[in-house]
Amino acid sequence: MKTIDLRSDTVTLPTAEMLEAVKQAKLGDDVMEEDPTVIALETLAAKRFGKESALLVPSGTMANLVSVMTHCRHGDEMICDANAHIYYYEVGAVSAIAGVIPRLVEGKRGIFSVEQLEHAYRGQELHFPNTSLLEIENTHNRGGGSVWSMSDLKAACDFARENGLKVHMDGARVFNASVASGISVKKYAENVDSLMFCLSKGLSCPVGSLIVGDKDFIAKARKNRKLVGGGMRQAGVIAAPGIVALNKMVDRLSEDHANAKKLAKGLKDECGLSLDVSAVQTNIVVANVSPMLADDYIAEATKKGVLTLSFGKHAVRFVTHYGIDAEDIDQVIERLRSRS
Ligand code: TLP
């Protein structure tokens, strides 16, 4: 029985073209800013997002941390969604390392309104920490791959700007957002001061994330990357697949989105799980498996060769990606339909 791995789009393997690009890559010492392949990727990313500069880092977690360290001082406050990856899944790094206090907003599937921001923002007063950053996640992972609309994004960013806050976008899956919404990544980036995206998720690269921003911000971020041990040497071996990804792997994300929709429909109509099919916008499906516990459901599914992740007591996450096709989705529905 073939194992169908829907735990995450991080399980994707590099394409043959990516591996060939690694072999052919011209390399140098990237800490000395002499790796031509890294420079080519950073130049390409900056151009794609309409920003002055870009910086390659090993992971999305480091990209978020370095961005927060660059925007904020120790003791500052950052407003973010209560289910934001940066708060929920990054080992508390923004507090433990950057010394930043998160102030949480209860968004709807990770999307929050200006009214909620007005409520969360305490103003600059003697007793309060200095609120310096708004963090937005697009697509929103725990929100089930939800996409920020341009009007919601613009309103939140305008509010931030009017109050002197910088905006950082965790765009780990921003290309999924862009493909689903038709809004260019440039348009998303235009509204924020910094944006990070991952090569290692839907774009199928083995390693790497990029931060984009203005020249000065990226120069400071480069130093913070060094501070947290993220300075890399012949990092062109990571950058080379990234160039292939940006040129070849973006448009196909719509296949993952179509497969996620098909999966959601099947899980609801044929496997009896509870979920809102119309809420599936990208490559993430979150289903409620009650009365079963998520862990028990996952154990049963694993026995049937379908791998998934727990997203709460009764919530299970399924992620579609490169390497999962429409037939695999049929198989998943078939296997999960029977409860024996
Ligand atoms: N998300 C992973 C797990 O950590 C949950 C996944 O499988 O989805 N921002 C967002 C929105 C993410 O989803 C992730 C990874 C990150 C940041 C961190 O990226 P990495 O794993 O490269 O540090």
Side-chain angles (χ1 to χ4, degrees):
M1 183 169 58
K2 174 186 171 191
T3 299
I4 302 173
D5 193 345
L6 301 175
R7 285 173 301 169
S8 182
D9 44 12
T10 59
V11 303
T12 43
L13 297 173
T15 63
E17 194 177 347
M18 288 179 184
L19 294 174
E20 191 50 39
V22 173
K23 265 201 206 160
Q24 303 296 332
K26 292 197 169 55
L27 303 175
D29 189 322
D30 180 48
V31 172
M32 298 181 192
E33 298 185 46
E34 286 174 2
D35 187 302
T37 310
V38 173
I39 293 170
L41 172 64
E42 290 176 344
T43 306
L44 180 63
K47 191 158 176 261
R48 187 79 169 256
F49 284 80
K51 292 287 195 203
E52 285 174 0
S53 284
L55 182 71
L56 176 67
V57 293
S59 69
T61 301
M62 191 184 283
N64 280 336
L65 173 63
V66 162
S67 300
V68 171
M69 288 171 83
T70 308
H71 283 302
C72 305
R73 296 167 58 150
H74 263 243
D76 278 5
E77 185 169 84
M78 165 188 88
I79 301 177
C80 69
D81 178 65
N83 275 299
H85 195 279
I86 204 167
Y87 174 73
Y88 206 95
Y89 285 127
E90 295 180 15
V91 207
V94 290
S95 298
I97 302 172
V100 168
I101 310 169
R103 181 140 169 97
L104 305 178
V105 177
E106 293 282 345
K108 216 185 256 167
R109 303 184 66 231
I111 319 285
F112 41 81
S113 64
V114 172
E115 290 68 37
Q116 287 179 291
L117 280 180
E118 277 167 355
H119 189 71
Y121 178 60
R122 306 194 253 171
Q124 314 288 0
E125 202 259 350
L126 175 70
H127 299 80
F128 301 155
N130 179 41
T131 308
S132 55
L133 187 63
L134 170 66
E135 195 265 357
I136 286 175
E137 188 176 316
N138 189 29
T139 68
H140 198 286
N141 186 343
R142 285 191 63 80
S146 50
V147 179
W148 276 76
S149 73
M150 211 52 217
S151 56
D152 285 339
L153 180 68
K154 220 179 144 347
C157 295
D158 285 350
F159 175 87
R161 210 147 287 124
E162 281 155 24
N163 290 285
L165 315 188
K166 299 289 185 192
V167 183
H168 171 67
M169 181 177 283
D170 174 345
R173 297 186 178 84
V174 75
F175 284 107
N176 294 88
S178 173
V179 164
S181 67
I183 300 167
S184 68
V185 291
K186 221 179 232 173
K187 199 89 197 138
Y188 285 133
E190 200 177 280
N191 282 275
V192 301
D193 298 285
S194 60
L195 184 154
M196 84 82 167
F197 70 94
C198 294
L199 298 169
S200 55
K201 303 202 164 56
L203 300 186
S204 221
C205 290
V207 191
S209 295
L210 282 119
I211 307 169
V212 296
D214 69 27
K215 250 196 180 105
D216 184 48
F217 178 85
I218 294 298
K220 288 182 183 144
R222 188 178 292 279
K223 186 147 185 167
N224 283 326
R225 181 187 69 173
K226 193 78 185 85
L227 175 64
V228 297
M232 298 174 285
R233 301 299 178 174
Q234 284 69 41
V237 294
I238 294 173
I243 294 172
V244 175
L246 287 181
N247 290 328
K248 301 270 175 79
M249 300 298 282
V250 172
D251 292 342
R252 64 150 306 283
L253 291 172
S254 58
E255 290 170 35
D256 299 343
H257 300 174
N259 284 335
K261 263 271 190 244
K262 179 179 159 97
L263 174 66
K265 234 176 129 0
L267 290 174
K268 186 180 163 79
D269 297 344
E270 298 181 50
C271 307
L273 300 190
S274 145
L275 67 102
D276 177 3
V277 177
S278 70
V280 176
Q281 290 176 281
T282 55
N283 67 329
I284 297 179
V285 178
V286 181
N288 190 313
V289 298
S290 347
M292 279 186 83
L293 293 172
D295 288 346
D296 294 341
Y297 187 90
I298 290 165
E300 270 196 18
T302 302
K303 280 190 211 144
K304 296 172 185 168
V306 178
L307 307 186
T308 59
L309 269 191
S310 171
F311 238 35
K313 196 171 177 191
H314 298 287
V316 174
R317 185 185 79 164
F318 304 74
V319 183
T320 56
H321 51 78
Y322 182 64
I324 298 292
D325 59 24
E327 276 170 36
D328 293 325
I329 301 298
D330 290 333
Q331 263 295 310
V332 170
I333 294 163
E334 180 60 36
R335 292 185 203 173
L336 298 184
R337 188 189 283 132
S338 57
R339 290 284 310 278
S340 55

